[in-house]
Amino acid sequence: MYERILVAVDGGPSSELAIAQAVGLSKHLGAEVKVLFVVDDSELFFESAYIDPQQIISGMISVGQKALATAARGFENAGVRCLTELAERPISPGNISGTIVSHADQWPADLIIMGTHGRRGVRRVIMGSVSEGVIAKSARPVLLIRGETVH
């Protein structure tokens, strides 16, 4: 059924839960996994004399490398074949969801697994929803793992 699973991570708690689910599912199915971290460059468009965009990018790349290494260890410990990829730039500025779908198409994945922050209200309007974008843009199944409880 699912032979190739793309797991999109951002280094946060919801990603850890998504990885745990992906480990179990991929082990059960004998699927190959690719873990993807996309560096979000959208904040670089806020102009400020005090912010060095290259420092921000370097910090995000470091977070991505750590998230990918942690995920790879989890899959390796479970005996699951795992590839990792760090996308240092989205396909267009701030387009994380489109980048995830593009990578899933190119690989090609049978399923996308990712965490969702469960944002609601103003936080969702301001920050957007990468998971909703992936669902809207992808022709393949998407498994979302909620990382926060909504009160």
Side-chain angles (χ1 to χ4, degrees):
M1 174 180 258
Y2 300 120
E3 296 176 6
R4 301 180 93 177
I5 300 172
L6 180 86
V7 182
V9 300
D10 65 5
S14 62
S15 287
E16 292 174 18
L17 294 171
I19 290 166
Q21 290 294 316
V23 165
L25 184 61
S26 59
K27 185 172 176 102
H28 177 74
L29 297 173
E32 178 181 10
V33 174
K34 182 179 218 177
V35 183
L36 174 68
F37 183 99
V38 181
V39 174
D40 184 355
D41 65 352
S42 59
E43 293 185 32
L44 300 179
F45 298 104
F46 297 114
E47 291 185 25
S48 173
Y50 305 106
I51 297 175
D52 177 7
Q54 195 52 48
Q55 273 188 320
I56 294 171
I57 291 281
S58 295
M60 286 189 273
I61 288 171
S62 178
V63 167
Q65 290 168 334
K66 289 175 187 171
L68 292 173
T70 299
R73 276 192 302 277
F75 285 103
E76 182 180 304
N77 291 341
V80 174
R81 183 164 179 244
C82 174
L83 308 168
T84 61
E85 184 170 354
L86 178 74
E88 292 191 24
R89 296 214 186 290
I91 57 172
S92 61
N95 189 355
I96 306 305
S97 59
T99 304
I100 292 167
V101 172
S102 176
H103 280 261
D105 290 344
Q106 291 171 13
W107 186 36
D110 301 312
L111 172 69
I112 299 171
I113 298 177
M114 60 190 299
T116 180
H117 298 281
R119 292 185 185 106
R120 296 286 184 255
V122 174
R123 284 176 60 198
R124 184 162 156 237
V125 170
I126 292 170
M127 300 186 78
S129 174
V130 173
S131 57
E132 279 187 7
V134 169
I135 290 170
K137 296 171 185 168
S138 181
R140 62 190 30 85
V142 179
L143 175 59
L144 298 179
I145 309 300
R146 175 167 279 174
E148 288 183 12
T149 306
V150 179
H151 299 289

